[in-house]
Structures are given as C-alpha cells and as structure tokens.
Amino acid sequence: MIERIYILENVDPVLFYGVNNVNIQLIKTLFPKLRIVARGNVMKVIGDEEESELFLKKIREIEKYCEEFNTLSEDVILDIIKGKSPTVVKQENLIIHGMNGKPIIARTENQQRLVKSFEENDLVFAIGPAGSGKTFVAIALAVRALKNKEVRKIILSRPAVEAGEKLGFLPGEMKDKLDPYLQPLYDALQDMIPSAKLKEYMETNVIQIAPLAFMRGRTLNDAVVILDEAQNTTTHQIKMFLTRLGMGAKMIITGDVTQIDLPPSTTSGLIQAMDILKGVTGIGRTEFNKKDIVRHKLVQRIVTAYDKFDEKRKKETKEKRKDTTNMNQK
C-alpha cells in the first residue's frame, strides 16, 4: 500500500469535481481498489502501486481535457478511463473554449485576420466600431497563449479617460473609481476562465488589469499585453505604452477612432501612432467595419445612423466655411 498526492494545477477544482462532486464520485467507483480523498485542489490516493499509477495517468488526461475545453462530463470521464478518445466536435476558426465548453471562434473575416496577424506579428493594431469583437478576440488570443504556456502572464490596460462623468463623481477610493473603466475586461475574462481560477490568476498577478498610467517605468516580458480603448490615449501615453514591450511579449492595441473622448484640442495618440508606424516590419493592422458587429442587430443600425449623421454634419460645416470664405473675398 502506498500513498500518492496529485495537485490540480490548471483547472478549477469545482469544475473538475462536478456539481455535488458527481465527477469525483464517478472516478471513485471506477477505481474501487483505491481510497481517494479530494480536498480543494489536492487529491490523495492510497492503494496498490500499479493501480495508483494508472489512476494518476488517467487523472492527468482528464485534467488536460478539462483545461482545454472548460467543461467535464461523466461521458468524457468514462471514455478516458476506458482508454477511448472523447468525442470532440471540431469548430472552424476556433480560438479557445470558454465557460461550459462554449467555443469562442473568430466569427467574421476581419476577426480571422486579427487572429492571423497576432500569430505573425509581435505588435498588432485592431481598429473598428463598437461591437465588432476587437477586445473580445484580443483577450481570447491572450488566454490561449497563457493556456499554451507561450507566455507567463496577461496584462490588460485602458486609459481612464472620462466620458461625460468625472472620476471624483464616483464613490469609493481610487481603485473603486477606476474599476468601472476596467469592467469590460473583467467581463471578457469571466467568459473564458472559471471564476476560482481567474481569482487565483489575479491574486498571483498572472493576469493583471491596470489603468494606463500604472504602466510607466515597466518592461513587460513574456506576456500578452493589451491596450483597450487606445483612441483615448495622448501622443505621449501611447508612445510610453508601446515602448514597454519586452522580450517574449506580444502587444495588441484596440480602439474605435469614432469614439474619442479626449478634449477637442488633444490629438488621439492611436491615430498618430498608426500613421507613424505604417509599414514598420513586425507590426500588423486589422481594420474592422460595420459588417463585423456581432452584438444585437440594432447596434449595426445605430452605428450606420451615426455615421450618416457625422457625414452630413461634416458636409454642412464644409459648406458654411466655403460660404464664409466667399463672403470675405467679396
């Protein structure tokens, strides 16, 4: 009789053990000669050495499946322990599996281009309207890289630019005031990583979410670094951020140049950076459009309506300037 310990390192124990521990109970019935005790992420097995080795081998396979697909069923456990390959439906343009095994895929042509551009370049710009999936796909790519151990951490950032409300208006201390700006990043992560695992990643700084101002002075190595809402950066801010790129790191810059919340006299750092860096080797660029919008069908119509309004206003402004010029010449 020997005692062996197995630690679940890459999955949420709650997901692995199943609702009301149904999965671990099934595993116990399939290894009747062993005494198996599971607490937290630690599994203790006592029994015959050969049987214990088989148990540990199968548990590794089950954990690997659970980590990849973010789900675990009794059928999968039975297949793996019996030596069969679990049935997997192949998804075209799959990035990763999100919560409950939901496939997260590149749904449009430009989303697929972003995936390809990320694979081929160390720095990628993803520009387009709200709802086109820029940030969601970018975070999915970062989570995939972390799962595949291509990087050691994910760093997500946003400029804390006020869009109508002042920071002082919000209740609480500085962290409480800044969290609302970063909430969309939390939302995307919660769709892809089990809550217990996400909490662990946040506590150990494997995943870091911080306002842009907190990036100054850092060198970001072995990480996927994402700057979201980059249209609201100034020239100095985006230059500072871009020069944080370290060894073994990749960077994705996302933004919507039609939703700039900077003062009218301030130039968007994103627009300027794309112009300055055009043609630089190792930098990719994906431009999304209204056809890529994957939110409620009304969002696409809203964006179209605002585009028409903006164009009409520009035309009217141009005509007014022309009339003023003609009057001055007379």
Side-chain angles (χ1 to χ4, degrees), residues 183-239:
Q183 191 60 48
L185 306 179
Y186 290 110
D187 292 343
L189 287 168
Q190 286 166 353
D191 281 344
M192 302 175 200
I193 302 173
S195 56
K197 197 68 188 172
L198 179 57
K199 185 181 178 185
E200 179 194 323
Y201 280 153
M202 302 283 282
E203 288 173 350
T204 56
N205 284 329
V206 171
I207 294 179
Q208 302 169 30
I209 303 180
L212 178 60
F214 291 20
M215 295 294 108
R216 188 171 294 280
R218 299 183 65 183
T219 301
L220 309 172
N221 297 316
D222 301 312
V224 176
V225 190
I226 298 173
L227 175 60
D228 191 37
E229 297 287 335
Q231 76 275 6
N232 289 326
T233 58
T234 64
T235 299
H236 295 300
Q237 284 176 330
I238 200 161
K239 182 183 176 184

Side-chain angles (χ1 to χ4, degrees), residues 38-321:
R39 286 199 182 93
N41 67 335
V42 178
M43 299 179 73
K44 184 190 293 184
V45 56
I46 303 167
D48 174 73
E49 184 174 358
E50 192 175 329
E51 187 79 357
S52 296
E53 281 297 330
L54 177 62
F55 169 81
L56 294 175
K57 178 177 179 290
K58 294 300 181 182
I59 286 297
R60 285 188 202 100
E61 292 177 23
I62 294 169
E63 183 185 14
K64 187 177 178 183
Y65 179 95
C66 188
E67 180 188 8
E68 182 178 350
F69 294 97
N70 260 333
T71 187
L72 188 60
S73 68
E74 294 184 29
D75 289 341
V76 167
I77 293 169
L78 286 167
D79 283 342
I80 291 174
I81 291 178
K82 288 177 181 177
K84 298 179 184 178
S85 296
T87 303
V88 176
V89 179
K90 289 188 177 180
Q91 292 279 347
E92 196 176 354
N93 301 316
L94 176 73
I95 303 174
I96 55 167
H97 285 88
M99 292 305 299
N100 300 316
K102 180 184 176 183
I104 293 173
I105 61 175
R107 295 172 61 180
T108 69
E109 194 174 328
N110 282 322
Q111 288 184 6
Q112 292 162 28
R113 282 187 183 135
L114 176 56
V115 173
K116 192 169 187 290
S117 185
F118 176 78
E119 290 166 353
E120 294 175 350
N121 300 282
D122 288 337
L123 173 59
V124 177
F125 287 97
I127 314 302
S132 54
K134 309 178 300 294
T135 302
F136 195 75
V137 172
I139 292 177
L141 289 168
V143 172
R144 184 180 73 178
L146 183 66
K147 278 191 168 189
N148 293 343
K149 296 181 170 53
E150 296 164 13
V151 296
R152 291 189 294 109
K153 55 193 172 186
I154 296 172
I155 300 168
L156 309 174
S157 187
R158 269 186 161 201
V161 173
E162 297 150 350
E165 299 86 8
K166 298 291 183 184
L167 274 172
F169 167 79
L170 298 168
E173 297 179 2
M174 184 56 71
K175 182 184 181 301
D176 302 315
K177 292 176 187 292
L178 292 169
D179 271 353
Y181 290 96
L182 306 173
Q183 191 60 48
L185 306 179
Y186 290 110
D187 292 343
L189 287 168
Q190 286 166 353
D191 281 344
M192 302 175 200
I193 302 173
S195 56
K197 197 68 188 172
L198 179 57
K199 185 181 178 185
E200 179 194 323
Y201 280 153
M202 302 283 282
E203 288 173 350
T204 56
N205 284 329
V206 171
I207 294 179
Q208 302 169 30
I209 303 180
L212 178 60
F214 291 20
M215 295 294 108
R216 188 171 294 280
R218 299 183 65 183
T219 301
L220 309 172
N221 297 316
D222 301 312
V224 176
V225 190
I226 298 173
L227 175 60
D228 191 37
E229 297 287 335
Q231 76 275 6
N232 289 326
T233 58
T234 64
T235 299
H236 295 300
Q237 284 176 330
I238 200 161
K239 182 183 176 184
M240 176 274 290
F241 186 83
L242 291 170
T243 53
R244 301 307 95 199
L245 188 64
M247 301 301 293
K250 281 179 172 270
M251 192 174 272
I252 306 176
I253 314 293
T254 72
D256 177 0
V257 295
T258 68
Q259 294 196 39
I260 297 172
D261 297 314
L262 295 167
S265 59
T266 305
T267 302
S268 168
L270 175 62
I271 294 173
Q272 191 177 65
M274 286 194 300
D275 187 43
I276 292 169
L277 300 174
K278 188 181 289 184
V280 175
T281 304
I283 298 179
R285 177 169 168 167
T286 303
E287 294 194 23
F288 293 78
N289 55 51
K290 292 188 285 287
K291 292 179 182 177
D292 296 300
I293 294 174
V294 291
R295 288 183 185 165
H296 192 287
K297 59 187 177 182
L298 268 177
V299 175
Q300 196 172 105
R301 296 175 198 164
I302 290 166
V303 171
T304 301
Y306 269 90
D307 284 348
K308 285 180 180 176
F309 174 79
D310 289 339
E311 235 169 89
K312 184 183 176 185
R313 191 169 59 176
K314 282 177 187 175
K315 190 178 177 182
E316 289 172 350
T317 304
K318 193 175 179 181
E319 286 174 353
K320 281 180 183 177
R321 284 176 183 168

Side-chain angles (χ1 to χ4, degrees), residues 23-51:
N23 291 341
I24 193 64
Q25 293 301 332
L26 174 61
I27 291 169
K28 286 179 179 180
T29 62
L30 294 170
F31 288 93
K33 296 178 184 178
L34 299 176
R35 181 167 172 246
I36 301 164
V37 180
R39 286 199 182 93
N41 67 335
V42 178
M43 299 179 73
K44 184 190 293 184
V45 56
I46 303 167
D48 174 73
E49 184 174 358
E50 192 175 329
E51 187 79 357

